[in-house]
Amino acid sequence: MPMRKNASSPASAAFTIIELLSVIAIIGVLAAILIPIVGNIRQKSWTATSTSNLRQLGQATALYVVENSGKLPMEATNSSFSNPPWYIALSSYISITRRSSTSNGYVEEDASTVLLNPATSTELPVNFAPSLSCGTSGSNGVLTAREVEDPVNKVWLTTSTGAYYYNPYNLMYIEYPHNNHANMLFFDGHVELVEQAVVADMGRDLVDPRLN
């Protein structure tokens, strides 16, 4: 009995060039739709985490002020053994992993998720920073909460390029990683995304707590 030949030839069973190009085009269209959506979801996740971290730092600051006669933590450049920089001063109120190395007489800090802005990459232990004005003058060289006359509209901490402070005169260390917005913690404890153009327009009126 003769063998029956397969009715379908190899050529007809394989993809044609047109079909292959159609599949590639569909994949391209889906990628073009999904990639921005995934990126947007990731950005929103970063912003939510950043906001949560700043709120924790705001709560820690409030506790520090109560237990230190109204004084606020200092920015890093004017810190000393008796007045450590803000991110170390707040370590008693939030969970921060310590390491054994020391600097200027106090224990330095490793990176902590509470101190980090997730949309920024840095080797420094913080991605948030206070104004340089928080340690340059005032009661015993330390700014007090009472000296901030407009806490609702004055920034305590903001997303930064990795520095331990920002200069209110040129704003060079403020970073805008959230769709051209900086995430800012105000002295009254609320957190707000502020557009770069607004920061540039308001200048020291927004970011210098000693300017009334």
Side-chain angles (χ1 to χ4, degrees):
M1 181 178 178
M3 296 181 61
R4 181 177 296 177
K5 293 183 178 181
N6 192 342
S8 61
S9 65
S12 62
F15 276 109
T16 65
I17 294 178
I18 295 177
E19 290 172 334
L20 184 60
L21 291 175
S22 298
V23 171
I24 293 173
I26 293 171
I27 293 173
V29 170
L30 290 174
I33 295 172
L34 293 176
I35 289 175
I37 293 175
V38 172
N40 189 41
I41 292 173
R42 182 171 60 179
Q43 179 65 55
K44 287 183 177 180
S45 176
W46 283 342
T47 301
T49 302
S50 174
T51 299
S52 175
N53 291 349
L54 279 172
R55 284 175 178 159
Q56 290 183 64
L57 290 169
Q59 293 169 357
T61 300
L63 292 172
Y64 178 92
V65 168
V66 169
E67 295 184 2
N68 288 272
S69 304
K71 295 178 181 178
L72 287 155
M74 294 183 70
E75 49 77 27
T77 58
N78 291 287
S79 60
S80 64
F81 179 74
S82 58
N83 292 302
W86 67 273
Y87 59 93
I88 291 179
L90 298 183
S91 64
S92 299
Y93 309 95
I94 52 179
S95 177
I96 301 177
T97 304
R98 292 181 177 273
R99 66 180 182 216
S100 58
S101 61
T102 60
S103 174
N104 297 329
Y106 50 77
V107 180
E108 279 282 4
E109 305 296 335
D110 272 327
S112 164
T113 54
V114 176
L115 295 175
L116 295 178
N117 175 57
T120 304
S121 176
T122 179
E123 294 180 358
L124 295 177
V126 291
N127 288 142
F128 301 117
S131 170
L132 186 65
S133 295
C134 292
T136 54
S137 61
S139 303
N140 298 321
V142 181
L143 182 69
T144 65
R146 184 172 295 180
E147 290 176 286
V148 183
E149 293 189 3
D150 190 12
V152 177
N153 296 306
K154 293 290 185 180
V155 174
W156 161 224
L157 296 174
T158 181
T159 44
S160 84
T161 55
Y164 299 100
Y165 61 91
Y166 64 87
N167 191 330
Y169 289 90
N170 58 28
L171 311 179
M172 63 180 295
Y173 291 130
I174 296 179
E175 190 172 28
Y176 306 89
H178 302 285
N179 290 328
N180 206 36
H181 288 68
N183 212 8
M184 294 181 162
L185 168 66
F186 290 75
F187 279 97
D188 72 333
H190 85 275
V191 178
E192 184 177 338
L193 288 171
V194 183
E195 190 176 3
Q196 184 172 3
V198 174
V199 176
D201 182 59
M202 296 188 67
R204 291 181 61 206
D205 287 332
L206 176 69
V207 299
D208 190 344
R210 294 188 185 278
L211 185 66
N212 298 316

